Every structure is written in C-alpha cells, then in structure tokens.
Amino acid sequence: MDDVTLLAEDGTAVGVLPKRDVHTSDTPLHLAFSCHIRDDRGRILVTRRALSKQTWPGVWTNSFCGHPRPGEDMAAAVARRAYEELGVRLSDIRLVLPYFRYRAVDASGIVENEICPVHVAVIEGDLSVNPEEVAEWAWIEPSDLVDAVERAPFAFSPWIREQLPQLRQIGEV
C-alpha cells in the first residue's frame, strides 16, 4: 500500500499517511493528481470508476487519478499510475492546471480533500485496463464531453466537473 503526502493549507508537505487511512469522513488535505489522456485523433479518454472503489464508485471521470508517493517526481507518478490503472505508456505529459484544488463529499460521507495538479498526455499503444480500477471507458470528443457533463453532472465525478471549465479557459478542451 502506498503512502500519501499530507499538506498544509499553503501546499507544503507536513506528513505522510498510508493511503488506506487517508480517505475518511475527515480526510486531511493531501497531494494527488489528475490526468486527461488524448489519442492521436484528439479524443479524450473518460473512465467509469470500478464499483469497488472507495470513493465515487461507478461514476464517470477523467482518464485517471492518483497520488504521488512521498518524494516521487510528479510526471513519474503520472506515468506510473497510467500503467497501473490503464496498462498504457504516455508521451507528452504536460502540467496544465498546477494549482487545482477541490474538496467534495461522496454519498457514503467519504471526503476527497486534495491539491490535485491536472495533467494532459498522449496515449502510446492500446489500453489494458485494470478492472479493480476501471469498470468502463470511452474515447470522446472534447466538445461532447463538455456537453455530457453539462447535461448529466450527477453521472460524473466532482473533480472533472470542476476541471472542465478551467481546461476550456486555457484551450485544453
């Protein structure tokens, strides 16, 4: 089990906890990341979280998320997690929303409380998803993703709902 870096309000590291102990009804602020993967046609990969996930099971979200290990380079963490969750290698990993932060409570009362830099990347090869992480996936045109989230926000994770307007502002969606 990986450890998660705990953060002060200003984003500085203040400690470490095992990942299994972090997501509760009183989740401390911690470091995470999100990534939106594109294919060679410019489509974005969206995934539906496995039903066994602790938070937001079964909802559609961005390509994948994760937590860097304490001291791990963020781009290396993104690449590692892409392989663990989706079985893919990435190219052109770019940090596009370095200060994204959110707090949300799911239906079970579990809280997400993260400073979560957002990345975009390009897929290399074919998907080989881990079914413990991903129930379904789809490649979608960016404009269709924005439309889907606007029409059915309840079907999507709170972080993708907050990320998409910011990504549109900087021309990434």
Side-chain angles (χ1 to χ4, degrees):
M1 178 63 68
D2 286 333
D3 287 335
V4 172
T5 301
L6 304 180
L7 301 173
E9 284 299 314
D10 67 359
T12 58
V14 295
V16 173
L17 274 179
K19 182 180 170 189
R20 71 177 174 273
D21 296 338
V22 170
H23 297 100
T24 66
S25 61
D26 190 31
T27 301
L29 182 63
H30 61 279
L31 184 59
F33 60 81
S34 287
C35 187
H36 298 263
I37 299 175
R38 290 187 183 250
D39 67 6
D40 57 2
R41 294 174 41 193
R43 298 177 301 175
I44 297 174
L45 176 68
V46 292
T47 59
R48 190 166 72 88
R49 293 169 61 84
L51 295 176
S52 60
K53 295 290 278 183
Q54 184 180 14
T55 58
W56 282 274
V59 302
W60 286 92
T61 193
N62 57 295
S63 305
F64 68 98
C65 296
H67 301 88
R69 295 173 177 144
E72 183 178 25
D73 175 77
M74 187 65 81
V78 170
R80 172 184 52 81
R81 192 69 187 144
Y83 191 77
E84 291 171 354
E85 194 162 320
L86 302 170
V88 296
R89 304 230 182 266
L90 302 176
S91 64
D92 193 26
I93 299 172
R94 293 183 296 117
L95 175 61
V96 294
L97 297 175
Y99 305 109
F100 181 76
R101 178 179 176 172
Y102 76 100
R103 185 183 187 281
V105 183
D106 84 353
S108 73
I110 294 178
V111 175
E112 285 283 9
N113 186 18
E114 298 179 337
I115 292 179
C116 185
V118 179
H119 299 77
V120 296
V122 177
I123 191 169
E124 297 289 326
D126 296 323
L127 292 169
S128 178
V129 301
N130 178 344
E132 293 179 15
E133 300 287 343
V134 176
E136 296 179 70
W137 65 93
W139 289 100
I140 187 168
E141 293 294 331
S143 60
D144 293 337
L145 175 58
V146 170
D147 187 50
V149 171
E150 287 175 354
R151 291 177 183 262
F154 55 85
F156 292 88
S157 70
W159 55 92
I160 195 172
R161 294 191 315 250
E162 291 183 32
Q163 289 172 7
L164 282 179
Q166 294 179 43
L167 291 169
R168 285 180 80 184
Q169 260 186 335
I170 61 170
E172 289 293 339
V173 175

